[in-house]
Amino acid sequence: MKTKGLTISGGKILFFCFFLFTVSFFNNVMDKIERHFYGVKAGVSLESQVVENLLPDEVRLVVENLAIQKQRLPLEPAIDKKTGAIVPEEIGAIVDIERSIIEVLSAQENEEVFLFFIGVLPKYSSWELSECTDVLGAYESYIEGSKERYSNILLASKSINNTLLWPTEYFSFNEIVGPRTAKRGYKPAPVILSGEIELDYGGGVCQVSSTLYNAAQLSNMEIIERHGHSKPVEYVPIGHDATVSYGELDLIFKNVSASPVIINSGVSGGKFWVQLRGKI
């Protein structure tokens, strides 16, 4: 009985192995037939990548992966922070997935095909920036104090100069100017802390934010956040100041006009000045 049992078990194993071999062979044959009739023709390549014999679903995966690598978003026009020159916009390009798949599947033997791109226009144009010639609002304040204070004002002024605000875009003083630290070139100068005058890095920067605040008000920007000093300052009238402290107090306003706005600032004749340009 044992021998008989072993013979039966062995027969079952052999039959099962033969069955698996038959199924595998059949599937392999059917796969070759399917690829012959529905797959990409021999020698076809897409963007130098061989895709011969691939089925439509496999082609889709290849196209989608290549699309991620090769497509590019449009670039909006900008203002060069150093020179103030207009940096032209750039048209973007996204891959037409379906069209590209059709191109691959319909390619002839040994043909090289390429992704089909669709141009994507930027939202704005450099022409709109070239029209920002009207002064929407301007303000200036006299600079007094130490050379360190003057240096801090000049450094912060360079940060906000040539800043571009598109319609509905927000301006954050702390985001644009950044931390006022020694590593970034700021020097100790008098600041108002809890009603007292003390030395701290970035002293004088509040004159920049206050002058900008007044120019923004005159330009009809929407003031989102503004804080007054704990005591009056000399460079702007009472109630017209805007104190800032990185990570705590900010000056934020929104461009609610229909045109882009360019912020310009500088130091000349013992004064710090700011103007906002746009199109009236």
Side-chain angles (χ1 to χ4, degrees), residues 183-197:
K183 187 176 181 179
R184 301 184 71 245
Y186 286 94
K187 304 179 185 302
V191 297
I192 300 174
L193 294 175
S194 302
E196 302 295 330
I197 304 295

Side-chain angles (χ1 to χ4, degrees), residues 9-279:
S9 299
K12 287 182 178 181
I13 291 172
L14 288 174
F15 175 79
F16 184 68
C17 291
F18 176 77
F19 174 77
L20 289 179
F21 172 80
T22 303
V23 171
S24 175
F25 177 79
F26 177 77
N27 287 339
N28 187 45
V29 171
M30 292 304 297
D31 181 69
K32 289 182 178 180
I33 293 174
E34 184 180 15
R35 292 180 185 279
H36 176 76
F37 286 102
Y38 302 107
V40 181
K41 292 183 175 63
V44 174
S45 62
L46 171 63
E47 300 283 343
S48 300
Q49 180 173 331
V50 177
V51 291
E52 64 178 12
N53 296 327
L54 295 186
L55 295 173
D57 287 345
E58 296 168 335
V59 172
R60 178 177 294 277
L61 288 176
V62 172
V63 170
E64 289 176 347
N65 287 331
L66 285 173
I68 294 173
Q69 299 172 30
K70 295 182 177 293
Q71 64 188 9
R72 63 184 186 276
L73 297 176
L75 293 179
E76 301 296 337
I79 299 295
D80 187 286
K81 286 289 287 182
K82 290 184 177 179
T83 66
I86 296 174
V87 180
E89 66 275 17
E90 293 184 16
I91 297 176
I94 61 172
V95 174
D96 186 330
I97 301 293
E98 303 306 324
R99 176 69 182 274
S100 297
I101 292 173
I102 292 173
E103 292 290 321
V104 173
L105 294 176
S106 61
Q108 299 304 309
E109 287 189 5
N110 300 317
E111 183 180 353
E112 182 175 7
V113 295
F114 299 91
L115 295 171
F116 189 81
F117 287 90
I118 302 174
V120 182
L121 294 175
K123 184 177 180 180
Y124 301 103
S125 70
S126 52
W127 174 78
E128 292 175 89
L129 295 185
S130 68
E131 286 201 318
C132 293
T133 56
D134 299 317
V135 177
L136 306 178
Y139 201 84
E140 60 183 22
S141 57
Y142 284 96
I143 302 175
E144 295 181 351
S146 65
K147 63 179 182 179
E148 288 80 11
R149 188 175 187 279
Y150 181 91
S151 175
N152 292 336
I153 290 174
L154 188 61
L155 190 56
S157 173
K158 289 180 179 179
S159 295
I160 67 173
N161 187 37
N162 294 322
T163 296
L164 171 63
L165 289 181
W166 294 109
T168 73
E169 192 172 4
Y170 292 84
F171 175 93
S172 164
F173 188 90
N174 284 336
E175 182 179 328
I176 296 297
V177 176
R180 278 71 86 179
T181 62
K183 187 176 181 179
R184 301 184 71 245
Y186 286 94
K187 304 179 185 302
V191 297
I192 300 174
L193 294 175
S194 302
E196 302 295 330
I197 304 295
E198 298 182 19
L199 283 180
D200 196 9
Y201 286 97
V205 168
C206 286
Q207 181 167 349
V208 176
S209 57
S210 296
T211 306
L212 173 60
Y213 165 66
N214 284 275
Q217 275 198 314
L218 293 171
S219 304
N220 294 318
M221 299 291 103
E222 181 182 347
I223 308 301
I224 305 299
E225 180 180 345
R226 170 260 173 185
H227 306 272
H229 286 81
S230 54
K231 64 183 297 184
V233 294
E234 298 179 351
Y235 43 81
V236 292
I238 294 176
H240 288 259
D241 59 322
T243 183
V244 289
S245 175
Y246 190 81
E248 299 178 17
L249 306 176
D250 202 357
L251 169 65
I252 301 175
F253 55 86
K254 179 182 179 182
N255 178 13
V256 292
S257 69
S259 75
V261 169
I262 300 171
I263 301 173
N264 291 129
S265 66
V267 173
S268 60
K271 297 178 182 179
F272 170 66
W273 59 268
V274 178
Q275 69 174 18
L276 277 65
R277 293 187 292 112
K279 181 181 179 183

